[in-house]
Amino acid sequence: KAGVTQTPRYLIKTRGQQVTLSCSPISGHRSVSWYQQTPGQGLQFLFEYFSETQRNKGNFPGRFSGRQFSNSRSEMNVSTLELGDSALYLCASSLIGLANTGELFFGEGSRLTVL
Amino acid sequence: KQEVTQIPAALSVPEGENLVLNCSFTDSAIYNLQWFRQDPGKGLTSLLLIQSSQREQTSGRLNASLDKSSGRSTLYIAASQPGDSATYLCAVKGSQGNLIFGKGTKLSVKP
């Protein structure tokens, strides 16, 4: 059974650009959540999508957005990139939503470097 | 606001030693607690999930306990091996559904 797949694995952007990251959850999983990991702040919750609807959102500016498609694949977008957006972006999928007691399974992450 | 703390931040032990990693949280109203392992530059691997109604979970050489009333969880690793070297993270799922992570404990097991 394939795990959570994130693409691209590595990317470099410059300030002011935008970026789109993709996440394909484990087959059958309907919940996808996104996290930002930095050395200083650790892992921080961005948002969760369940059945194409955003159900939870962390404390990030509106430049961070996401969506989920009918096949449960999810994308997150960061517009007007800042140096501080450099981070490892992790996606996790769960059979049921975060509001329930589902176990989370993480992808390998997308490492974004903003120059 | 839920806060999760992991102590120590780093730990170095000789191979074969039994060890305990600690995780504490400030709000006892949690749905579950999950322990993860992260290798450098990689994603997170789920180790153990403890539901709020459970006291402990075991998988192989790993045993995790949960004491909601005191806001604490421990991860016990028996007979440590160099391959156990990684960062161990605990995360609690709170009332809003999102996971709150600790900063992790970086474990180094020396051969």
Side-chain angles (χ1 to χ4, degrees), chain B residues 1 7 34 44 61 63 75 78-79 89 93 99-101 103 105:
Chain B
K1 179 186 171 188
I7 294 174
Q34 198 165 352
L44 277 63
R61 295 183 293 109
N63 175 277
L75 178 67
L89 295 145
K93 182 178 291 185
L99 283 186
I100 308 296
F101 282 85
K103 293 288 182 70
T105 293

Side-chain angles (χ1 to χ4, degrees), chain A residues 3-44:
Chain A
V4 178
T5 304
Q6 291 188 246
T7 58
R9 290 291 315 280
Y10 304 90
L11 65 167
I12 299 173
K13 294 285 186 178
T14 56
R15 280 181 297 174
Q17 287 187 312
Q18 73 166 9
V19 66
T20 298
L21 308 178
S22 178
C23 173
S24 294
I26 291 172
S27 178
H29 285 196
R30 296 168 62 192
S31 168
V32 173
S33 51
W34 289 88
Y35 299 82
Q36 181 196 64
Q37 187 176 32
T38 59
Q41 299 297 319
L43 271 153
Q44 293 183 285

Side-chain angles (χ1 to χ4, degrees), chain A residues 65-96:
Chain A
S65 63
R67 59 178 175 170
Q68 185 179 34
F69 302 96
S70 59
N71 61 357
S72 294
R73 188 178 71 86
S74 176
E75 289 181 347
M76 69 162 282
N77 182 274
V78 188
S79 63
T80 319
L81 284 166
E82 301 176 358
L83 294 179
D85 297 333
S86 295
L88 181 66
Y89 289 88
L90 291 163
C91 162
S93 77
S94 176
L95 184 60
I96 52 179

Side-chain angles (χ1 to χ4, degrees), chain A residues 9 35 37 40-43 45 56 88 90 98 100-104 106-108, chain B residues 31-32 34 36 38 41-44 46 49 51 89 93 96-99 101 103:
Chain A
R9 290 291 315 280
Y35 299 82
Q37 187 176 32
Q41 299 297 319
L43 271 153
F45 171 73
N56 283 297
L88 181 66
L90 291 163
L98 287 184
N100 297 294
T101 54
E103 185 175 4
L104 262 66
F106 280 80
E108 292 289 297
Chain B
Y31 286 121
N32 63 35
Q34 198 165 352
F36 296 90
Q38 186 175 32
K42 300 288 189 179
L44 277 63
S46 177
L49 170 68
Q51 306 294 358
L89 295 145
K93 182 178 291 185
Q96 295 194 343
N98 55 307
L99 283 186
F101 282 85
K103 293 288 182 70

Side-chain angles (χ1 to χ4, degrees), chain B residues 12-94:
Chain B
S12 181
V13 300
E15 181 178 4
E17 192 163 297
N18 302 325
L19 59 101
V20 174
L21 306 181
N22 297 293
C23 172
S24 62
F25 46 95
T26 55
D27 185 351
S28 61
I30 65 170
Y31 286 121
N32 63 35
L33 184 145
Q34 198 165 352
W35 282 93
F36 296 90
R37 167 190 172 134
Q38 186 175 32
D39 293 287
K42 300 288 189 179
L44 277 63
T45 300
S46 177
L47 297 173
L48 290 164
L49 170 68
I50 311 178
Q51 306 294 358
S52 60
S53 59
Q54 297 175 321
R55 295 286 300 210
E56 65 177 336
Q57 282 285 346
T58 298
S59 176
R61 295 183 293 109
L62 305 180
N63 175 277
S65 68
L66 174 64
D67 184 342
K68 273 180 49 177
S69 61
S70 66
R72 291 192 299 182
S73 175
T74 61
L75 178 67
Y76 175 83
I77 302 177
S80 58
Q81 303 170 358
D84 295 330
S85 297
T87 296
Y88 290 81
L89 295 145
C90 75
V92 298
K93 182 178 291 185

